[in-house]
């Protein structure tokens, strides 16, 4: 089965959907982290059957979440594999 929402970041430029900036890559490897969102809209939505996907650079992500009334949940990763 095809993994529809896994993006191979080596193959093509990754741009932040908000500011349009192309994210830094060296030798095909992404040199900064990026927020990636995929949403499959369902039956109770006017977007039923649509799959939305976008990237946000860290700066745009910070700007987005700073506008939230309720802060996002942040958990610390205890173990890094
Ligand atoms: Zn951005």
């Amino acid at each position: 089965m095809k993994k529809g929402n896994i993006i191979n970041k080596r193959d093509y430029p990754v741009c932040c959907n908000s500011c349009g900036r192309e994210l830094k890559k060296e030798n095909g490897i992404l040199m900064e982290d990026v927020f990636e969102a995929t949403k499959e809209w369902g039956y109770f939505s006017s977007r039923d059957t649509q799959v939305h996907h976008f990237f946000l650079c860290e700066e745009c992500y910070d700007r987005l979440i700073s506008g939230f009334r309720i802060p996002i949940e942040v958990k610390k990763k205890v173990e890094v594999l």
Side-chain angles (χ1 to χ4, degrees), residues 61-74:
Y61 177 79
D62 284 345
R63 203 179 317 123
L64 174 77
I65 65 170
S66 70
F68 287 1
R69 285 191 181 203
I70 299 168
I72 62 157
E73 189 181 320
V74 179

Side-chain angles (χ1 to χ4, degrees), residues 16 18-19 57 60:
C16 169
S18 181
C19 67
C57 70
C60 291

Side-chain angles (χ1 to χ4, degrees), residues 11-73:
D11 289 350
Y12 60 90
V14 176
C15 293
C16 169
N17 281 74
S18 181
C19 67
R21 185 170 65 81
E22 192 176 317
L23 303 173
K24 285 185 213 91
K25 274 172 120 184
E26 268 173 41
N27 303 319
I29 297 163
L30 211 51
M31 297 307 284
E32 57 182 301
D33 212 353
V34 61
F35 178 83
E36 181 176 6
T38 303
K39 170 64 185 166
E40 292 180 28
W41 292 98
Y43 185 71
F44 296 106
S45 162
S46 60
R47 300 180 169 93
D48 189 19
T49 73
Q50 292 183 17
V51 180
H52 290 195
H53 177 256
F54 62 89
F55 293 110
L56 288 177
C57 70
E58 200 168 358
E59 205 175 297
C60 291
Y61 177 79
D62 284 345
R63 203 179 317 123
L64 174 77
I65 65 170
S66 70
F68 287 1
R69 285 191 181 203
I70 299 168
I72 62 157
E73 189 181 320

